[in-house]
Amino acid sequence: MRTIIALSLLLAGILTACTTGEKKMKTEENPFFHAYSTPFETPPFDRIRNEHYIPAFKEGMLQHIREIDAIAGNTESPTFENTIVAMDRCGDLLVRVSDVFYNLTSANTSEELQQIAREVSPLRTAHFDNIYLNPDLFQRVKTLWEMRSGLGLSQEESMLLEKTYKRFARGGANLPPEQKEELREINKELSMLSLQFGDNLLAETNAFKLFIEDSEGLAGLPRFLRDAAAEAAKAEGQEGKWLVTLHYPSRVPFLQYSENRELREKVLMAYANRGNNDNEHDNKAIASKMASLRVKKANLLGYATHADFILEENMAKNPETVYNFLDKVWTAALPVAKKEVAELQAMIDAEGDNFKLEPWDWWYYAEKVRKQKYDLDEEALKPYFSLENVRQGMFDVATKLWGIYFEERNDISTYHPEVRTYEVKEADGSHIGIFYMDMFPRASKDGGAWMNSYRDQYLVGDSLVTPVITNVCNFTKPTGDSPSLLTFEEVSTMFHEFGHALHGLLSDCTYRRLSGTSVSRDFVELPSQIMENWAAEPE
């Protein structure tokens, strides 16, 4: 018996040693567990592997909750520093892995990343519910909120306190225990439904492939679109054909130029019905359930509707303000829209076609009317808008307005070969931040255009943490020897998203929670819309 016990103890010791050694090895190999030893501490994409995410998420949540528990259990009276600032400063590992992971699930996802997201999402949701439903922590925050007028806080400090208190209150901290549990279940279900909705949308977008085999399907298509469609078909193993997809650079010009009305209808309706095809990617039940849960959550927190809950933290404040604004837009826009419909229908009739204008006709006949009335051919403008020229023009505007400049860096790793990287500098050469540009569509990328950050700007004592910002778009790809040539709408979009990027790059905040684009959702569009307007200005 003693021999068996001794062997058991020896085996347990060996297993413990092996487990400890394995954990140490994984920790040493996982780039998220250490400060990045890269230029400007940019994410080491060349070293990050999918197997690194879950261990980093779990350890990040563990470290974060220990820091939170220490704040909540502090026996000293709550102060702005030991409670509000302490919360803003904690959770570094979780922030680091989250910033990389959720950027990539939008810009360069895969089935494996989507599966990781499904595993991590309920864990993160429960983690943050544990923080914002922590009664001891909330009591410290609430105490400071109630005595805020006597704390002598600066404007920035007051804003951080307000945002922190509201995050708890709107997160259910004032609810009784049974309703807190109900809220946890709603949050958990919403997080999973939201993930599934996005995955379905991407799958539906990628699933549609219209292969054209003859000249009838190509009628009216300009050379740039034919070349791009031929290259796309070749990449799918269908050389000699032409491929039209639902990605913006393929879909929109096809609707704009294709003479084949049947195919235009097919493309537009495929785009409109993504998630509405009664298949494994159908989103109708998911959308309905999400709407129901959002109402339930809003009611639980004391709001009449989900819109009331969301708008309270925006400039509009309430649904009535939004509806009043929309009514004003509608009143002004409707007569103009009716006039445009009449013009398009008149052209259809003049050409001897006996059909009523439908949505899949709009782009096509609007282009024809534009040529007829203004002798303006959007395709003829594209050679003036090569992506390289537009990018340089955009940078030049930023230099003229703010004295900053952009230097391309080839020594910073990226998550995809198409991504270009720039160091943003002051006029004196001092470092401002890093700017990634990811411009072309692919199956692993969501549709649309957006700005995000891999690291926000903030201060740690007197040390500046500089921002790492990204713009992700879906513009016309270069084909063969032809560069990427943009429509003016794409030019405007590029300037628009650059405005968001500048907002993040030029942020000057002390606290991470307030940094960059962490402002009201409707206000966040101000810098981008100002920048967008410069696209058409010769100056």
Side-chain angles (χ1 to χ4, degrees), residues 147-377:
M147 57 189 290
R148 60 190 180 279
S149 60
L151 295 177
L153 301 179
S154 68
Q155 187 176 16
E156 188 180 11
E157 290 167 343
S158 296
M159 177 64 74
L160 181 62
L161 174 57
E162 180 181 347
K163 282 184 174 287
T164 303
Y165 173 76
K166 286 184 175 180
R167 186 76 181 267
F168 277 86
R170 290 166 56 83
N174 284 311
L175 295 175
E178 65 276 9
Q179 290 187 333
K180 286 181 179 179
E181 290 307 309
E182 187 178 357
L183 182 63
R184 285 177 184 271
E185 290 303 313
I186 291 173
N187 287 341
K188 180 181 177 181
E189 194 169 358
L190 276 173
S191 72
M192 295 303 293
L193 289 169
S194 179
L195 269 180
Q196 190 60 53
F197 187 98
D199 290 349
N200 286 346
L201 189 63
L202 182 61
E204 289 274 89
T205 301
N206 290 332
F208 179 85
K209 293 181 173 66
L210 173 63
F211 286 99
I212 297 173
E213 303 183 23
D214 52 39
S215 57
E216 183 181 350
L218 296 174
L221 301 186
R223 169 70 60 172
F224 81 88
L225 187 55
R226 292 188 185 203
D227 290 346
E231 198 165 291
K234 183 178 179 181
E236 291 283 332
Q238 300 278 347
E239 189 167 5
K241 298 180 183 179
W242 294 265
L243 173 60
V244 178
T245 71
L246 298 184
H247 295 287
Y248 182 93
S250 178
R251 180 188 81 253
V252 171
F254 186 83
L255 293 171
Q256 193 171 2
Y257 294 111
S258 174
E259 295 176 6
N260 191 311
R261 189 167 188 252
E262 183 180 341
L263 292 184
R264 291 202 310 268
E265 179 182 0
K266 189 172 184 178
V267 169
L268 183 64
M269 295 313 294
Y271 180 75
N273 282 314
R274 292 173 303 160
N276 184 33
N277 293 306
D278 297 320
N279 57 20
E280 71 272 25
H281 301 305
D282 198 274
N283 270 333
K284 291 192 291 293
I286 292 174
S288 176
K289 184 64 174 176
M290 287 177 69
S292 174
L293 287 170
R294 284 173 170 179
V295 172
K296 192 174 181 181
K297 178 177 177 177
N299 294 163
L300 198 62
L301 294 170
Y303 298 88
T305 67
H306 177 67
D308 286 285
F309 173 67
I310 294 298
L311 289 169
E312 181 188 53
E313 287 301 281
N314 289 287
M315 294 172 68
K317 297 302 178 191
N318 55 62
E320 291 72 30
T321 302
V322 175
Y323 283 126
N324 288 337
F325 175 71
L326 291 177
D327 285 342
K328 290 176 183 177
V329 173
W330 176 259
T331 302
L334 188 59
V336 178
K338 288 181 176 179
K339 182 180 177 182
E340 290 180 1
V341 168
E343 287 182 335
L344 301 186
Q345 187 64 55
M347 174 160 281
I348 293 170
D349 297 341
E351 293 183 348
D353 291 315
N354 185 27
F355 60 80
K356 182 183 176 183
L357 178 76
E358 296 288 353
W360 47 88
D361 300 315
W362 192 284
W363 285 90
Y364 178 70
Y365 284 98
E367 179 66 18
K368 298 187 79 167
V369 167
R370 184 159 49 229
K371 285 182 181 179
Q372 182 187 72
K373 291 180 67 175
Y374 307 110
D375 194 25
L376 176 61
D377 182 353

Side-chain angles (χ1 to χ4, degrees), residues 121-168:
S121 183
L123 300 178
R124 285 184 86 252
T125 301
H127 172 75
F128 286 106
D129 279 342
N130 288 338
I131 293 172
Y132 293 109
L133 297 176
N134 182 319
D136 294 331
L137 185 61
F138 178 54
Q139 186 55 53
R140 295 180 69 86
V141 173
K142 188 177 182 181
T143 297
L144 292 168
W145 175 248
E146 291 173 346
M147 57 189 290
R148 60 190 180 279
S149 60
L151 295 177
L153 301 179
S154 68
Q155 187 176 16
E156 188 180 11
E157 290 167 343
S158 296
M159 177 64 74
L160 181 62
L161 174 57
E162 180 181 347
K163 282 184 174 287
T164 303
Y165 173 76
K166 286 184 175 180
R167 186 76 181 267
F168 277 86

Side-chain angles (χ1 to χ4, degrees), residues 448-512:
W450 63 92
M451 165 269 182
N452 213 332
S453 64
Y454 285 93
R455 183 176 67 231
D456 288 323
Q457 172 276 329
Y458 60 99
L459 294 176
V460 178
D462 294 328
S463 299
L464 173 65
V465 177
T466 57
V468 179
I469 304 298
T470 182
N471 270 173
V472 184
C473 300
N474 283 273
F475 295 150
T476 306
K477 293 185 75 167
T479 56
D481 296 331
S482 299
S484 172
L485 300 177
L486 307 183
T487 65
F488 186 71
E489 185 173 350
E490 289 176 319
V491 173
S492 297
T493 299
M494 193 165 168
F495 269 72
H496 178 103
E497 296 306 329
F498 186 54
H500 287 305
L502 288 170
H503 190 171
L505 286 164
L506 301 180
S507 174
D508 184 17
C509 295
T510 304
Y511 305 107
R512 181 159 50 193

Side-chain angles (χ1 to χ4, degrees), residues 42 47 60 80 82 87 108 138 147 215 251 335 339 376-377 394 410 452 462 521 523:
T42 50
R47 293 181 51 226
F80 181 77
N82 71 18
M87 288 177 61
N108 199 39
F138 178 54
M147 57 189 290
S215 57
R251 180 188 81 253
K339 182 180 177 182
L376 176 61
D377 182 353
M394 190 173 72
N410 297 315
N452 213 332
D462 294 328
R521 186 65 183 268
F523 178 81

